[in-house]
Amino acid sequence: MPRIRMPKRIEFENDAGQTVRYVRHGDGGYVSPQADVAADAVIGRGTYVEGGAQVHAGARIGEVTWVDHGAVVGRDARIGSSVHLGPGSFVGAGARVADHVHLGRDVRIEASATVEAEASVPDGEVVRHRYAQAA
């Protein structure tokens, strides 16, 4: 099976008619030049890190994930695949966010806390230990 080549940079026009540019991070996803991403952070394929976002050292972000404007991923945090970190959300050091999770605007996941798979955390929520989607 042939390996698909990923471009080093991409750009597109958003709904407001602005040109948005991203640069590939290592062999993984794309990062806005206005984002702050540690050199050793792992950004999965198909993942986008928006302007104003921060991804600290040792963090690992899965595939097809969206780190929205102003979101912060702390040191050694683990973010799964198909996750949306809403604008201004914060994932503390060593925290874990499983696959298929949606974090709303200004959500705070404290250090070492866990968000279970397929959860949707509402705007402004603070998770101190564990968050699982109510059945």
Side-chain angles (χ1 to χ4, degrees), residues 72-75 77 79 85 89-93 95-97 103 107 109:
V72 176
V73 178
R75 178 179 291 279
I79 309 296
L85 276 62
S89 60
F90 174 86
V91 178
R96 303 290 186 258
V97 176
L103 301 184
V107 166
I109 310 299

Side-chain angles (χ1 to χ4, degrees), residues 38-102:
D40 71 340
V42 175
I43 309 295
R45 284 181 170 244
T47 291
Y48 286 86
V49 180
E50 299 288 350
Q54 298 175 29
V55 180
H56 291 267
R60 298 179 70 85
I61 300 175
E63 297 182 347
V64 194
T65 289
W66 179 18
V67 181
D68 216 326
H69 298 277
V72 176
V73 178
R75 178 179 291 279
D76 299 320
R78 299 292 183 261
I79 309 296
S81 295
S82 300
V83 173
H84 177 218
L85 276 62
S89 60
F90 174 86
V91 178
R96 303 290 186 258
V97 176
D99 295 342
H100 307 286
V101 168
H102 174 83

